Amino acid sequence: MKHIILLATGLFVIGCSSTIDSYPKDIPHLDLKDRDQDGVINTRDHCQQTQTLDIINNNGCSAQIIDTKDYNLHILFNNDSIAINHTFAHEVKFMASFMKEYPSTKVVINGYASKVGNTNYNQALSLRRSNAVRNLLLSHEIAPSRISIQGFGETVPIIVASKESDTLSRRVTASLIGQRLEYLKQWNVKK
């Protein structure tokens, strides 16, 4: 048993050499400075131009989120009319501001009519209503390429348990979803 312990000890000592065969000749130079003062050394910093109050990730880049907002437009029209009431014109102006705030947003304007009158006439009327809203958006400097129109005529009426079904069916609707990339900011006493 004594010979087995000595043999095992000898093998262990042989496996643990105390000499190093070679040393690294060049140690790579690390840039340990922080040029943009974001707390990440230049060697690891993938984004050298971060803003002062941005929250910084491990690679030295500003943390990002996608800001999303939505806006819904609903305009009512008088019978056989494409005139936009003053109250609703203000909503179109607000929609134009929304589209300017989110410049990649496009909109489809949907026009509708009530079942009063001829079906073909109501189809054309719904398109004219959509076009009236489109023209008002264009007057607020929204590019034509960002606006599409559709007319559904009387095919999608509003059904309510009152005589207001026809009134509510004479409408234009639109839904917008705006998205933009934003950078997370950190809280600072000085700002």
Side-chain angles (χ1 to χ4, degrees):
M1 178 76 168
K2 188 176 183 182
H3 295 295
I4 294 175
I5 294 176
L6 285 176
L7 180 62
T9 305
L11 289 175
F12 178 73
V13 171
I14 292 171
C16 297
S17 174
S18 63
T19 61
I20 297 176
D21 295 334
S22 65
Y23 290 98
K25 293 184 177 154
D26 284 327
I27 297 175
H29 176 66
L30 298 177
D31 186 356
L32 300 179
K33 295 178 183 169
D34 183 9
R35 189 174 312 128
D36 59 358
Q37 298 179 357
D38 61 359
V40 178
I41 60 173
N42 292 338
T43 299
R44 290 187 49 220
D45 203 337
H46 294 233
C47 302
Q48 293 289 330
Q49 302 296 323
T50 53
Q51 298 295 319
T52 305
L53 292 179
D54 285 0
I55 293 176
I56 307 301
N57 65 20
N58 289 336
N59 295 325
C61 298
S62 300
Q64 302 172 347
I65 59 166
I66 295 177
D67 173 39
T68 303
K69 288 186 183 172
D70 61 359
Y71 178 74
N72 295 306
L73 178 75
H74 191 100
I75 297 175
L76 296 177
F77 290 85
N78 290 328
N79 187 41
D80 197 20
S81 174
I82 63 168
I84 300 171
N85 180 300
H86 171 69
T87 303
F88 295 121
H90 181 71
E91 287 189 39
V92 174
K93 183 178 179 182
F94 186 81
M95 185 169 77
S97 297
F98 182 93
M99 292 181 76
K100 288 176 183 176
E101 185 179 347
Y102 295 92
S104 63
T105 302
K106 294 184 178 187
V107 65
V108 177
I109 300 169
N110 302 305
Y112 304 89
S114 64
K115 290 190 177 210
V116 176
N118 177 288
T119 301
N120 291 333
Y121 180 82
N122 287 338
Q123 177 64 38
L125 177 61
S126 67
L127 276 171
R128 289 198 316 271
R129 286 176 175 160
S130 293
N131 201 42
V133 174
R134 178 184 182 274
N135 289 337
L136 190 52
L137 270 176
L138 292 173
S139 75
H140 291 291
E141 301 174 355
I142 301 300
S145 61
R146 297 176 64 196
I147 308 167
S148 302
I149 63 169
Q150 296 183 78
F152 292 95
E154 59 190 52
T155 60
V156 189
I158 299 291
I159 311 251
V160 292
S162 71
K163 294 182 179 182
E164 293 182 351
S165 289
D166 287 337
T167 303
L168 296 175
S169 293
R170 301 174 189 129
R171 69 199 188 278
V172 164
T173 63
S175 294
L176 299 166
I177 298 176
Q179 292 184 334
R180 69 175 165 223
L181 189 64
E182 289 191 354
Y183 297 99
L184 293 175
K185 300 292 183 191
Q186 59 183 320
W187 187 75
N188 187 327
V189 175
K190 296 178 185 176
K191 298 290 176 180

